[in-house]
Amino acid sequence: MKHLVILGAGTAGTMMANHLNHHLKKPEWEISIVDEREEHHYQPGYLFLPFDIYSPEDIVKHIEEFIPKGVNLVKGKIDKVLPKENKVKMTGGNELNYDLLIVATGAKIAPEEIEGMKGSEWQKSVFDFYTFEGSLALRNKLRDWEGGKLVVHITEMPIKCPVAPLEFAFLADSYFKHKHMRDKVEITYVTPLSGAFTKPKATEALEHLLQEKHINIESDFAIEHVDNEAKEIVDYGGRAIPFDILVTVPTNKGDEVMARSGMGDDLNYVPTHKATLQSKEYTNVFVLGDASNIPASKAGSVAHFEAEILTENILRFVKGEPLKEEFDGHANCFIETGNGKALLIDFNYTHEPVEGTFPFAGVGPLRLLKESRMNHLGKLAFRWIYWNVLLKGTHIPFVSATMSESGKKYN
Amino acid sequence: MERTIAGKSIAVNEEGYLTDFKQWDKSIADVLASEAEISLTPRHWEILGYLQNEYRNEVPLSIRKIGKSGVVDIKEFYQLFPKAPLKTATKIAGIPKPASCI
C-alpha cells in the first residue's frame, strides 16, 4: 500500500483530501491528513467579526466535519519533515512514511518581527484581525470606542488576502457612519506599497473609493517600530503616524515546521514551481495554498483553483506521466466596500484586474472592478459556498481553474 | 518608450525604469540619481552594485532581504535613498522595479 500524507487540514489541505479521496483508493493508497487543531475557521469571516456582521458561530466548525470518510485524520503536532527519508516526524516520536507529500501548512502572522508591535498595547490599542482572538478583541474594543485616530496598516508583503486591509478600512467607514460617529473618527490607510494595491488599474479604482470615503492614504511606509508610549508607528525614514487604535496586518510567515525541516525560504515559504505546484527540491512533494512561495495571492480562491490543477498533476505523477504546467495564478476576490456593496476582481500571473462582467461575458451578473450590491450578495453567499461546496472539492459551476479573458476590458 | 539620458537614447517604461539593463552605465546612474535629489557616494555605488548582482542572479529583491544581506541595514538604506529606497535604488541601478507580491 502506498501512502499520501497531507500536512494541514485548513482550506487547501481539506480540499485536497476531498479531491484525492475520489481518485486514490484503498487498498492501493492510504491518505492521511495531519493537523493539531480541533477547529476549522472560515478565515474570510475574521474581517466581519470586528463589525458585528458575523458572530463567532458563523466562522468556527469542527475540523472532522470536512474530512471525508476513508481519509485518516492524524491529530497532533508535526515535529519536522525529513524529505530525504520521505518521513514526517510527529512530536512525541510517531513517524509517518509517505510516497507522496502535500504541504498545506498555510501562513500566519508574526507580530514579533517588528519591535514593539506585540508590546504593552497589544490587544489594548494595537490589534490584528488575522486571528480569531485578535478579531474578537477588536470587536470588543470597537463596540464602545468613542472615536479618534484609526490607523489601518500593512507591515510588509506578501500577506494573506492582500485586499483585506482595504476592506477593513471601507467597512470601518461604513460601521462608524451607521453608529452616527463617522465625524469623530479619522481613518488612515498605511501601506508599504506605493499605492492602494499592487496592480495599476485596481489601484486607481480603489484609491478613488478611499478618497470618496475620506480615508487618508500613507504609502511607501516601511515600519521600523511601534512606539507604545507615544502611540505611533515609525518608519525607517523617521516618518511617524499617530494612532488611537492601530489595526495592523503583521508580517505573514509560513509555518515554523517548514523552517525546522529546512524546506522554507527566509519567510518559511516552500520554493514551489509556479505552474505545476511541485516542490523545486523534492519531486514527490507538492505544495498548495499559502504555504508556497509562488507569486499568486495567498487566498482561498487561489487554493481552490490550485487544488483542481494539483489533483490532475498528482494523478499524472502517480502514473509516471509528465506534469501539466497549467496553474496561471488565477485569483478571484470580492472586495467589500461598505454600505452593502462590493467589488469583484479576477486576475492571474499575467493579467491584472480590469473592468468587465463575471462569470458570463457581457452578462454578469457580477461586475468586475465596479461597486455593486450584487457583488456584496456574492461575498455573503460565499460563506455558504465555502462550507458546503468549496471544502468538499466540488467544482464551482462556470468558474474555471484557469482565468478566462472573455468579458474583460483589456486595452 | 525612449528618453535621452546623459546624451544617449535609452529605453524606459512609463515609470522611468530602464527596460534594457545593457544600456545602463554610470553616467546614466548619475543623471537618475540627481533627478531623485541624491548625489552618489562610494557607499551608494556599493549598494547599486549589490542590487545589480542580485538582479543578474535572478534573486527577487525585497526590503527584508536587503536588510538581512549584510551589505546594508534598512536604516542606512533609507538614509542613502530616502523615502522609497528600493524603488529609487533599483531605478538608478537600471534594473526593474521589484514586483511586490500580491
Side-chain angles (χ1 to χ4, degrees):
Chain A
M1 191 193 279
K2 291 191 167 178
H3 298 276
L4 181 134
V5 173
I6 303 171
L7 302 181
T11 308
T14 301
M15 285 191 296
M16 280 319 292
N18 281 297
H19 274 295
L20 291 173
N21 190 40
H22 297 301
H23 300 285
L24 301 179
K25 300 208 185 258
K26 283 176 184 163
E28 291 95 90
W29 280 93
E30 185 180 60
I31 303 176
S32 302
I33 186 164
V34 185
D35 206 302
E36 61 185 297
R37 297 167 297 186
E38 296 290 327
E39 294 169 343
H40 184 120
H41 288 196
Y42 175 56
Q43 293 184 58
Y46 296 164
L47 171 68
F48 295 106
L49 189 56
F51 303 112
D52 271 318
I53 300 171
Y54 283 172
S55 57
E57 310 82 82
D58 294 326
I59 57 184
V60 181
K61 293 187 192 274
H62 277 284
I63 263 186
E64 287 97 348
E65 268 183 65
F66 305 95
I67 306 301
K69 283 194 184 74
V71 169
N72 287 330
L73 174 60
V74 180
K75 278 199 182 162
K77 196 173 160 61
I78 305 160
D79 176 23
K80 62 167 119 175
V81 183
L82 302 168
K84 287 184 187 131
E85 297 169 38
N86 300 322
K87 244 182 219 173
V88 178
K89 262 182 80 179
M90 303 294 292
T91 309
N94 273 355
E95 289 186 346
L96 302 168
N97 293 303
Y98 63 81
D99 297 279
L100 256 176
L101 182 72
I102 296 176
V103 176
T105 41
K108 40 179 78 75
I109 60 163
E112 63 282 357
E113 288 279 325
I114 300 297
E115 187 195 325
M117 191 172 274
K118 218 171 172 177
S120 55
E121 287 298 313
W122 183 249
Q123 294 195 352
K124 290 191 185 114
S125 63
V126 177
F127 296 88
D128 80 279
F129 67 99
Y130 271 49
T131 58
F132 180 75
E133 298 72 30
S135 187
L136 196 63
L138 183 53
R139 179 195 73 178
N140 297 341
K141 174 80 177 186
L142 292 180
R143 275 182 177 174
D144 44 36
W145 190 47
E146 285 172 3
K149 291 182 167 63
L150 173 68
V151 172
V152 183
H153 166 252
I154 301 173
T155 301
E156 62 181 311
M157 303 298 282
I159 57 169
K160 288 198 251 198
C161 189
V163 294
L166 270 169
E167 297 181 276
F168 188 93
F170 293 145
L171 288 174
D173 167 72
S174 180
Y175 174 82
F176 294 119
K177 267 187 198 140
H178 285 292
K179 287 179 88 171
H180 306 290
M181 56 179 287
R182 182 63 182 88
D183 57 330
K184 295 198 181 80
V185 180
E186 189 189 312
I187 307 177
T188 306
Y189 184 75
V190 185
T191 169
L193 302 172
S194 26
F197 198 55
T198 49
K199 312 266 169 172
K201 290 219 174 73
T203 297
E204 215 175 286
L206 292 165
E207 283 180 355
H208 180 76
L209 282 172
L210 285 171
Q211 216 170 14
E212 204 178 276
K213 295 172 195 297
H214 305 286
I215 298 167
N216 313 315
I217 175 164
E218 293 273 358
S219 51
D220 290 314
F221 189 93
I223 187 169
E224 195 213 0
H225 70 275
V226 178
D227 187 331
N228 284 276
E229 260 140 56
K231 283 201 176 180
E232 51 186 32
I233 48 174
V234 183
D235 88 344
Y236 283 98
R239 183 164 33 145
I241 297 171
F243 63 82
D244 294 300
I245 291 182
L246 173 66
V247 177
T248 185
V249 181
T251 304
N252 280 205
K253 289 173 94 171
D255 200 284
E256 284 291 328
V257 72
M258 290 300 120
R260 290 199 294 273
S261 310
M263 294 170 76
D265 64 10
D266 59 336
L267 284 169
N268 303 342
Y269 296 122
V270 182
T272 304
H273 190 288
K274 69 175 190 177
T276 63
L277 307 176
Q278 187 176 39
S279 147
K280 284 194 172 165
E281 232 172 318
Y282 306 99
T283 52
N284 63 339
V285 176
F286 292 82
V287 190
L288 88 164
D290 301 345
S292 88
N293 77 334
I294 62 169
S297 285
K298 296 195 178 298
S301 69
V302 175
H304 164 73
F305 298 133
E306 285 175 340
E308 294 194 1
I309 286 164
L310 184 55
T311 301
E312 282 184 50
N313 266 348
I314 294 226
L315 298 178
R316 281 199 189 89
F317 184 82
V318 165
K319 286 188 227 148
E321 293 169 9
L323 302 181
K324 227 173 166 183
E325 299 201 0
E326 202 181 21
F327 187 61
D328 65 353
H330 189 192
N332 179 280
C333 316
F334 289 102
I335 305 177
E336 278 296 300
T337 54
N339 297 314
K341 289 185 180 173
L343 292 175
L344 178 64
I345 54 176
D346 194 57
F347 57 103
N348 67 10
Y349 288 139
T350 49
H351 289 73
E352 63 166 313
V354 291
E355 287 178 18
T357 48
F358 187 87
F360 302 107
V363 176
L366 303 174
R367 303 275 309 272
L368 294 170
L369 208 48
K370 280 260 196 285
E371 270 190 298
S372 81
R373 196 156 291 274
M374 190 60 133
N375 289 340
H376 168 69
L377 296 176
K379 175 126 185 168
L380 293 186
F382 191 73
R383 179 164 56 98
W384 187 89
I385 293 175
Y386 181 86
W387 293 121
N388 296 286
V389 181
L390 199 85
L391 286 180
K392 301 199 169 123
T394 309
H395 179 75
I396 296 179
F398 315 118
V399 181
S400 63
T402 51
M403 195 195 78
S404 159
E405 287 174 40
S406 66
K408 293 180 182 162
K409 293 181 194 162
Y410 297 105
N411 290 328
Chain B
M1 61 183 85
E2 298 271 320
R3 65 168 284 209
T4 306
I5 308 174
K8 285 165 281 234
S9 181
I10 302 294
V12 296
N13 68 12
E14 320 81 69
E15 292 183 292
Y17 286 80
L18 266 63
T19 51
D20 180 5
F21 178 55
K22 289 195 279 309
Q23 295 185 323
W24 182 89
D25 63 33
K26 289 194 168 183
S27 66
I28 288 168
D30 277 323
V31 174
L32 295 175
S34 70
E35 283 172 5
E37 295 171 10
I38 294 169
S39 64
L40 297 174
T41 64
R43 189 70 182 125
H44 286 96
W45 287 112
E46 219 174 297
I47 289 152
L48 294 176
Y50 160 74
L51 295 175
Q52 290 170 338
N53 225 2
E54 294 290 277
Y55 169 68
R56 285 191 202 98
N57 295 332
E58 293 174 21
V59 180
L61 292 166
S62 69
I63 294 257
R64 160 179 287 269
K65 275 199 189 137
I66 288 164
K68 290 191 172 165
S69 65
V71 177
V72 59
D73 64 31
I74 302 177
K75 199 116 202 168
E76 188 191 0
F77 195 33
Y78 263 80
Q79 282 157 3
L80 295 166
F81 301 93
K83 281 179 213 153
L86 191 53
K87 281 164 210 152
T88 311
T90 48
K91 189 186 258 185
I92 298 171
I95 60 178
K97 178 173 159 183
S100 352
C101 286
I102 131 157

